Amino acid sequence: GINAEYGGEDGVTLSLNDLKTKFEQHTVTVSIQCAGNRRADMLQHKPVRGMNWGGAAISNAVWSGPRLCDVLKHYGWSEEKYPEAKHVWVDGLDFGPDGTPYGASILIEKAMDPRQDVILALTMNGETLPRDHGYPVRLVAPGVVGARNVKWVGNMTISHEESHSHWQRRDYKGFNPSIDWHNVDFDNKTAVSIQNQPINSMVCDPLNGETVTVLPGNKIPLRGYAYSGAGAKVIRVDVTLDGGETWHTADLIQDEESPLNRTWSWSIWKIEVPLPEGVNPGDEVKVTCCAVDANYNRQPERVRNIWNLRGCLSNAWHTITVKLK
């Protein structure tokens, strides 16, 4: 079962059967992205600590389970009763070398707003949640960084402060590019724990270095994804083959009915983009994509201005080089 408590008060134990039978099951399509997605781009600029992720540390799935707010309300918790509460801690059943569980926290306003679609997921893509994805219960907090979407949920605590977990307070934070391991201060008030993530995109097809056949009309086909945190819908993906002198807008494959501020899944983009004048089969060309979300946030041009020691939040323009034939 899952233990749930509020700041020292006696808690309750929730069984898997309770979560399946006592609550309406809510289904939501959500992309979950690692804080270190595209870290490899930062590593090319300057060394960072962390797995050398390319652009595949993100996935999209259909999740189902009871809303967290419904579960908490059912057991008597309310913001009116506990106005000082600010965070929901979630601990997994997996433990680190120091014996403490993996843990994280999300903001109370995220957890308690039914429009934010936070669920205790029991199924994934219509099937029982796989073990690798958190069976039997996973927190799915749409629009929030993957590190807070805790797997194998075992305990939840409502608190006036954020989780004391190492991964909440000593990791997954952003710093300015001049901060490195010799002068980092994880307690600095400017180093807030990552929750929502910035607009991002990537060219997925073709891959960097591949050969592309030029289509009639002197065009090349391109495909990729774009995603923004906090539910901000992707409204545009622009592509350039000449370093930003000329931009072309791609077609988006997305849920056209989802609200501009409540879109939790990625968008797939595709385009057949004309080659710049003077570029012909046999040449190499640089392909760059840049996405824009519903808040008109746009990806920064260069990695050097957003580099940080952990390689998180890597969302500069994505560029590859392809050969033409």
Side-chain angles (χ1 to χ4, degrees):
I2 298 173
N3 297 312
E5 61 185 39
Y6 172 73
E9 291 195 7
D10 292 338
V12 296
T13 299
L14 316 179
S15 71
L16 185 58
N17 189 60
D18 289 340
L19 296 176
K20 289 179 177 178
T21 61
K22 288 186 177 181
F23 305 96
E24 179 183 351
Q25 303 297 295
H26 182 63
T27 298
V28 60
T29 303
V30 179
S31 294
I32 297 179
Q33 179 178 234
C34 178
N37 194 33
R38 296 188 57 204
R39 179 180 283 127
D41 292 0
M42 287 191 173
L43 186 59
Q44 291 178 12
H45 172 68
K46 186 179 174 182
V48 298
R49 291 185 188 176
M51 294 188 67
N52 188 22
W53 288 116
I58 182 173
S59 64
N60 194 66
V62 179
W63 311 86
S64 295
R67 285 190 179 100
L68 179 57
C69 61
D70 292 343
V71 173
L72 294 178
K73 288 176 181 176
H74 177 81
Y75 289 101
W77 193 88
S78 71
E79 292 181 87
E80 292 76 20
K81 187 177 179 181
Y82 301 107
E84 65 273 30
K86 303 295 181 185
H87 304 267
V88 179
W89 301 8
V90 183
D91 293 325
L93 296 173
D94 49 330
F95 292 80
D98 63 353
T100 62
Y102 181 87
S105 58
I106 61 173
L107 298 173
I108 195 73
E109 55 264 34
K110 176 74 180 179
M112 295 306 296
D113 184 349
R115 296 180 183 87
Q116 291 295 309
D117 299 312
V118 178
I119 65 171
L120 295 172
L122 308 177
T123 72
M124 177 182 178
N125 295 330
E127 300 180 354
T128 299
L129 193 64
R131 181 180 295 179
D132 284 352
H133 292 280
Y135 177 84
V137 182
R138 178 178 190 166
L139 178 76
V140 172
V144 173
V145 65
R148 316 300 174 214
N149 287 253
V150 177
K151 301 177 183 178
W152 312 295
V153 174
N155 192 74
M156 296 186 295
T157 305
I158 298 171
S159 175
H160 66 282
E161 59 181 343
E162 70 176 355
S163 170
H164 287 268
S165 165
H166 168 88
W167 295 276
Q168 186 79 24
R169 298 205 177 196
R170 289 291 181 272
D171 205 344
Y172 301 117
K173 293 185 174 187
F175 300 90
N176 87 49
S178 295
I179 300 296
D180 214 329
W181 293 100
H182 69 284
N183 62 351
V184 64
D185 176 10
F186 279 94
D187 294 321
N188 189 299
K189 66 180 181 180
T190 66
V192 300
S193 302
I194 299 170
Q195 292 285 343
N196 303 319
Q197 293 171 288
I199 181 71
N200 211 342
S201 69
M202 184 170 179
V203 184
C204 297
D205 183 20
L207 298 174
N208 186 46
E210 283 192 334
T211 298
V212 180
T213 300
V214 178
L215 303 174
N218 223 31
K219 299 179 178 181
I220 58 172
L222 306 169
R223 294 187 299 169
Y225 70 79
Y227 171 78
S228 193
K233 193 168 190 172
V234 174
I235 62 169
R236 204 176 74 232
V237 175
D238 298 328
V239 177
T240 181
L241 303 186
D242 58 12
E245 293 297 320
T246 308
W247 293 91
H248 306 269
T249 299
D251 295 323
L252 295 178
I253 302 171
Q254 59 183 192
D255 181 358
E256 296 185 2
E257 301 301 318
S258 66
L260 292 176
N261 62 347
R262 195 181 175 188
T263 297
W264 310 121
S265 60
W266 62 15
S267 297
I268 304 301
W269 60 266
K270 63 179 182 177
I271 188 173
E272 294 181 359
V273 61
L275 297 176
E277 187 175 347
V279 176
N280 300 293
D283 294 339
E284 288 190 345
V285 65
K286 288 186 180 295
V287 175
T288 298
C289 67
C290 174
V292 182
D293 70 17
N295 297 317
Y296 281 100
N297 291 316
R298 192 170 188 266
Q299 292 175 248
E301 180 177 354
R302 296 192 294 176
V303 167
R304 63 173 293 181
N305 298 323
I306 59 171
W307 182 93
N308 59 84
L309 77 176
R310 276 287 279 120
C312 294
L313 309 169
S314 181
N315 74 322
W317 296 358
H318 185 235
T319 299
I320 63 170
T321 301
V322 297
K323 301 173 184 177
L324 306 176
K325 72 171 185 177

